[in-house]
Amino acid sequence: MTVSEALKQRLSANAFDPQAELSREQITELVQLATEAPTSFNTQNWHVIAITDPEIRKQIRAAAWDQAKVTDSAVLFAVLGNTNVVENLPEVMTMATNDGIVAPEIKDWFETNAAQFYKDKPELSRDEALRSASYLAMSLMLAGQEKGYGSGPMIGFDPKEVANILKVPQNYVVTLLLSMGPLLPEGNWKRKPRKKDILSFDAFS
Ligand SMILES: Cc1cc2nc3c(=O)[nH]c(=O)nc-3n(C[C@H](O)[C@H](O)[C@H](O)COP(=O)(O)O)c2cc1C
């Protein structure tokens, strides 16, 4: 499957096969692929919770407009962004220097400048949490598409309640819930047409 095919075939699904299951290995592979997405300063300020426990799924469904896909999909992901944007940076840059990909002085440059860039900027930091989590979520949907799974992104949930159920630390934003897994043969909408006139060149018009 090409990227173009994956982009054109993906749709927001509602009817998931409730009997389908994904193993922890399959789920891990999908999330690992999704972490190939870029982040500002390589901060990798994201976290994913894969929710497979039916009891927890029921609780989340009650906090998510009773959407059936919350409980019916093979896996439900909560995609989180970290508003403490630079928290993971020393760890990930150390990985890069250990692999010989990044020189130590570049590591220092990234860490110093990223810290400065986000310091005392809560709005920008929250934006970055949402941006990073969104890139990861889209990558996850495309990775799933290649494996033949449908996906259903959701913002229809109470973020405080979901964060509470999943024991999410204060500095993380639950950016998206994402159902994923094999679909039922019937019950999903067809692709919706796309607006064509969203592109202008050189200035907004
Ligand atoms: C951020 C975001 C939040 C969404 N939230 C929901 C949701 O809570 N429930 C739902 O059924 N669909 C939700 N959707 C799916 C959209 O309705 C869907 O993407 C849109 O209608 C376009 O359809 P398509 O994804 O099949 O191309 C969401 C999509 C995005 C990107």
Side-chain angles (χ1 to χ4, degrees):
M1 176 180 284
T2 65
V3 176
S4 303
E5 286 165 348
L7 285 165
K8 287 183 179 163
Q9 287 172 21
R10 183 213 58 81
L11 46 78
S12 289
N14 285 308
F16 286 83
D17 180 351
Q19 308 302 328
E21 290 181 3
L22 292 182
S23 68
R24 286 201 168 202
E25 289 70 25
Q26 288 171 306
I27 292 169
T28 305
E29 187 195 352
L30 286 166
V31 173
Q32 208 57 55
L33 279 169
T35 65
E36 300 297 341
T39 46
S40 168
F41 288 98
N42 190 31
T43 44
Q44 303 188 34
N45 58 323
W46 46 36
H47 187 88
V48 179
I49 304 175
I51 308 143
T52 53
D53 183 314
E55 275 311 309
I56 301 175
R57 295 268 211 118
K58 266 190 218 157
Q59 291 174 39
I60 303 227
R61 179 166 166 172
W65 303 359
D66 195 30
Q67 297 191 66
K69 59 191 155 200
V70 171
T71 49
D72 293 354
S73 57
V75 62
L76 175 71
F77 294 111
V79 185
L80 318 181
N82 191 350
T83 61
N84 182 0
V85 181
V86 298
E87 188 172 40
N88 296 335
L89 195 53
E91 180 190 343
V92 296
M93 291 310 283
T94 299
M95 285 158 58
T97 48
N98 286 348
D99 285 0
I101 293 161
V102 169
E105 57 273 22
I106 303 288
K107 171 183 185 291
D108 293 345
W109 185 93
F110 265 66
E111 288 178 24
T112 307
N113 284 283
Q116 189 58 32
F117 191 70
Y118 293 106
K119 189 169 182 275
D120 300 328
K121 292 181 193 133
E123 193 177 341
L124 178 64
S125 298
R126 189 180 157 86
D127 287 350
E128 215 52 75
L130 298 175
R131 246 191 303 266
S132 298
S134 300
Y135 280 122
L136 187 144
M138 187 68 230
S139 303
L140 192 48
M141 287 188 256
L142 292 178
Q145 196 67 36
E146 189 197 56
K147 307 274 184 208
Y149 309 141
S151 57
M154 283 168 277
I155 195 57
F157 61 89
D158 181 322
K160 281 202 181 121
E161 269 191 57
V162 169
N164 201 25
I165 294 164
L166 299 177
K167 304 181 172 62
V168 173
Q170 282 272 311
N171 53 309
Y172 281 90
V173 184
V174 183
T175 304
L176 209 67
L177 291 176
L178 180 60
S179 292
M180 188 170 286
L183 301 179
L184 292 174
E186 304 287 337
N188 283 302
W189 289 1
K190 292 209 168 68
R191 273 201 70 69
K192 302 176 193 98
R194 275 359 192 206
K195 195 168 143 57
K196 301 277 186 240
D197 57 347
I198 60 116
L199 173 67
S200 56
F201 289 93
D202 303 326
F204 192 99
S205 62

